[in-house]
Amino acid sequence: MVGLSEGEKEFIKGGIAQDLRSDGRKRHTYRPIYVETGVIPQANGSARVRLGATDVIASVKGELGKPSSLQPDKGKVAIFVDCSPTAAPMFEGRGGEDLSAELSGALQRCLLGSKSGAGAGIDLSSLVVVEGKVCWDLYIDGLVVSADGNVLDALGAAIKAALSNTGIPRVNVAAGAANDDQPEVDISDEEFLQFDTSGVPVIVTLTKVGKHYIVDATSEEESQMSSAVSISINRQGHICGMTKRGGLGLDPSVILDMVSVANFVSRQLFDKLDSEISAAEADEDES
Amino acid sequence: MEYVSPEGLRLDGRRPVEMRQLRAEIGVVAKADGSAMFEMGNTKVIAAVYGPREVQNRSQQITDQALVRCEYSMANFSTGDRMRKPKGDRRSTEISLVIRQTMEACILTNLMPRSQIDIFVQVLQADGGTRSACINAATLALADAGIPMHDIVTSCSAGYLNSIPLLDLNYVEDSAGGPDVTVGILPTLDKVTLLQMDAKLPTDTFEDVMQLATEGCKAVANYIREVKTSFFCLIVIWDLCYNYC
């Protein structure tokens, strides 16, 4: 990251205080969002989201596996994020591991619910094939290609788009298998079930700079933040997960206010994302 | 298994001397000094260049030259089966070294002493020929970053299956166990800068296969020149200055 001079820092903070950021946006305006789906043909579903200069790719791959004995009626989902060194030289070698772990953890909290599987944004019971024996293991991989702030929101949007693009092949189970054995399964190549993503939340990150909070911070604005709260909200307006980052403590009333702002902003984000995703799917069908 | 049908068509419908479709795009990573995406058929890679900049590790600084570093990583979803470890395995380390040596040979490093140039290559989809695609992408990214070079480097691979030399192997053909010859050339200077081969070939057949790969490299160079003529002005000007000063 190139350092910022004192003058530049003042410019950023002053702009935010006056509701006019360096690129002309208001505090609660997102950068233009571009969504492309089906970018990784060998995956079950994939999407690429560009939020200004932030560019992330998410891919969903399904493999058949055995459900955990604690939750025999639910499939399994694992989320991994990798920060590519192309995004920043400091991600070279193991430099990106900290950020990758943080992003993976935040996404798991927002999308996967609690340890018992309750409250997950993704309907895990739709992934089971034979209860207790065979289920789908979904591996959601995120890759950060270019990072210019607000990577978490972009990843959330990419995962939502990738899940809408995901087709789970239909599995035909051979009848008459003995109770203890693994049943024989036949994965169909032609028939696919589209994943239901109406319950999948989006993530809105609010970054506090000075006395105000902004949505969709660029990396320069993030460098001036005192704290940031990432809230994951679904279509019904329910909060699905929350993460606070940054050292400075926040007054509880401020957090509640941030939650209501996030709720408001998420309406627009849902609409924008849904229209972008359908446009992307239409493009993909044509090509 | 038959890799070339009796009519002379390969598994993906190409002729033996036909390359896969090429596609390149410059400036895909806005924050990098130079970046490019290169596709050869289904193989898709992104290269980003950061530099010339100050050397991060003082002990590695070279007083009369630039330090060139390279890292190759594959995305988790790039191969058919999901990979668990995107970087740090032996193959990635070897390819990072190969790309570094190839690019270092063509960069005019003595023009940028005590500085560092980082080349990062990220494979998004791997379908054979990743090494070549990475070198082609790195060349374009270096050109996009405005780093002075002797010449561009282009690379292509060729193999020999069912007694026929095949250009630009894809993953299935590469896994067939036949020889795989990867060549990197400096097209204007007409010099070979990278040559790697695995498995075995009789010497005269090797000459044919290497010749075929070199033709492939020249085809890549033509593609790059046709589509991206504007960059080339930059490199030619540099070269002229370098030769006349």
Side-chain angles (χ1 to χ4, degrees):
Chain A
M1 243 293 287
V2 176
L4 292 174
S5 68
E6 285 306 315
E8 283 172 306
K9 290 178 191 170
E10 282 308 309
F11 191 74
I12 293 173
K13 289 185 200 162
I16 289 171
Q18 294 182 32
D19 204 14
L20 182 65
R21 292 152 76 172
S22 314
D23 49 7
R25 285 185 287 154
K26 294 200 162 306
R27 285 197 283 262
H28 298 154
T29 314
Y30 267 87
R31 284 173 284 187
I33 305 179
Y34 295 107
V35 177
E36 264 174 77
T37 52
V39 289
I40 309 286
Q42 67 257 33
N44 291 86
S46 59
R48 177 181 175 200
V49 166
R50 269 174 290 163
L51 198 58
T54 296
D55 192 350
V56 305
I57 298 179
S59 104
V60 178
K61 267 206 171 138
E63 285 170 11
L64 283 178
K66 201 162 181 295
S68 111
S69 42
L70 297 168
Q71 282 130 46
D73 61 337
K74 292 191 157 65
K76 294 186 285 196
V77 177
I79 304 184
F80 294 105
V81 174
D82 184 31
C83 295
S84 169
T86 54
M90 67 171 198
F91 295 152
E92 190 190 356
R94 304 187 60 176
E97 269 181 19
D98 287 342
L99 182 60
S100 304
E102 191 189 322
L103 290 168
S104 306
L107 287 165
Q108 278 168 351
R109 253 198 303 284
C110 294
L111 294 168
L112 297 184
S114 67
K115 290 199 177 57
S116 70
I122 304 170
D123 183 17
L124 295 176
S125 33
S126 65
L127 292 176
V128 83
V129 175
V130 176
E131 195 168 311
K133 300 229 187 80
V134 182
C135 72
W136 282 106
D137 283 342
L138 280 190
Y139 292 101
I140 304 182
D141 288 306
L143 178 71
V144 178
V145 173
S146 172
D148 189 25
N150 211 21
V151 176
L152 188 59
D153 291 14
L155 279 167
I159 290 179
K160 188 171 165 59
L163 285 170
S164 350
N165 183 241
T166 301
I168 307 281
R170 198 184 287 280
V171 184
N172 299 317
V173 186
N179 268 340
D180 287 335
D181 295 344
Q182 283 291 104
E184 277 204 22
V185 288
D186 173 38
I187 305 178
S188 155
D189 274 337
E190 281 102 54
E191 290 171 50
F192 287 91
L193 298 160
Q194 283 302 119
F195 210 74
D196 174 26
T197 54
S198 51
V200 178
V202 290
I203 304 179
V204 175
T205 301
L206 287 164
T207 310
K208 190 160 192 287
V209 178
K211 290 201 187 73
H212 304 271
Y213 10 99
I214 53 176
V215 148
D216 192 16
T218 61
S219 52
E220 286 171 350
E221 291 168 335
E222 274 182 355
S223 69
Q224 298 310 304
M225 76 173 190
S226 53
S227 50
V229 177
S230 299
I231 301 163
S232 152
I233 302 191
N234 70 8
R235 267 246 171 234
Q236 284 80 37
H238 296 159
I239 301 177
C240 302
M242 225 162 106
T243 309
K244 178 197 170 291
R245 293 196 318 275
L248 199 64
L250 286 174
D251 199 86
S253 57
V254 169
I255 297 194
L256 289 175
D257 193 34
M258 278 173 146
V259 169
S260 63
V261 170
N263 210 340
F264 173 69
V265 170
S266 68
R267 310 274 121 240
Q268 299 160 13
L269 184 57
F270 264 117
D271 293 333
K272 184 82 182 31
L273 263 187
D274 285 339
S275 65
E276 282 288 319
I277 292 175
S278 3
E281 299 259 333
D283 275 341
E284 196 201 338
D285 285 335
E286 269 167 43
S287 63
Chain B
M1 190 181 155
E2 210 179 66
Y3 292 97
V4 185
S5 75
E7 296 90 45
L9 292 178
R10 289 151 79 173
L11 295 169
D12 51 7
R14 285 187 283 156
R15 298 247 155 232
V17 296
E18 202 182 318
M19 274 193 81
R20 290 176 290 183
Q21 179 152 59
L22 300 174
R23 210 176 83 91
E25 206 183 309
I26 314 263
V28 291
V29 178
K31 292 221 106 186
D33 292 321
S35 60
M37 190 209 48
F38 202 86
E39 280 180 62
M40 291 172 88
N42 285 333
T43 296
K44 193 164 167 182
V45 312
I46 290 187
V49 167
Y50 288 89
R53 58 196 192 122
E54 201 178 326
V55 179
Q56 307 291 294
N57 189 349
R58 263 311 175 81
S59 58
Q60 290 177 342
Q61 196 181 75
I62 311 174
T63 43
D64 60 347
Q65 280 193 13
L67 173 70
V68 178
R69 288 159 80 244
C70 176
E71 185 176 293
Y72 166 93
S73 37
M74 295 183 78
N76 269 336
F77 43 78
S78 56
T79 53
D81 298 322
R82 197 175 158 267
M83 280 183 71
R84 282 299 284 118
K85 206 167 173 244
K87 45 180 129 165
D89 58 306
R90 299 249 290 260
R91 182 175 169 272
S92 301
T93 317
E94 193 239 330
I95 300 185
S96 305
L97 184 70
V98 163
I99 299 176
R100 183 179 73 72
Q101 286 175 340
T102 314
M103 304 324 292
E104 195 171 24
C106 76
I107 296 176
L108 296 167
T109 48
N110 48 312
L111 290 181
M112 298 163 288
R114 288 184 288 277
S115 68
Q116 172 177 317
I117 299 174
D118 287 323
I119 307 172
F120 299 119
V121 188
Q122 175 77 45
V123 176
L124 299 177
Q125 270 172 252
D127 186 27
T130 45
R131 210 170 294 229
S132 304
C134 289
I135 289 174
N136 296 329
T139 294
L140 281 172
L142 285 166
D144 186 37
I147 290 179
M149 299 191 277
H150 291 294
D151 193 0
I152 58 170
V153 187
T154 58
S155 169
C156 192
S157 66
Y160 190 72
L161 287 172
N162 294 147
S163 313
I164 304 176
L166 301 175
L167 180 60
D168 195 13
L169 303 173
N170 62 24
Y171 181 72
V172 180
E173 291 166 341
D174 203 2
S175 331
D180 176 13
V181 178
T182 306
V183 174
I185 62 168
L186 301 173
T188 322
L189 300 177
D190 208 12
K191 289 202 192 308
V192 172
T193 172
L194 167 71
L195 179 58
Q196 283 190 316
M197 187 183 115
D198 57 16
K200 49 183 185 184
L201 269 185
T203 331
D204 39 357
T205 324
F206 170 73
E207 280 178 26
D208 291 334
V209 175
M210 186 175 149
Q211 182 58 32
L212 185 58
T214 312
E215 293 301 319
C217 296
K218 295 200 176 127
V220 174
N222 283 338
Y223 171 74
I224 290 180
R225 283 197 194 108
E226 256 170 38
V227 184
K228 317 288 167 194
T229 37
S230 51
F231 291 139
F232 280 51
C233 301
L234 207 88
I235 295 181
V236 166
I237 293 169
W238 259 115
D239 205 44
L240 286 172
C241 296
Y242 185 60
N243 284 330
Y244 282 106
C245 301

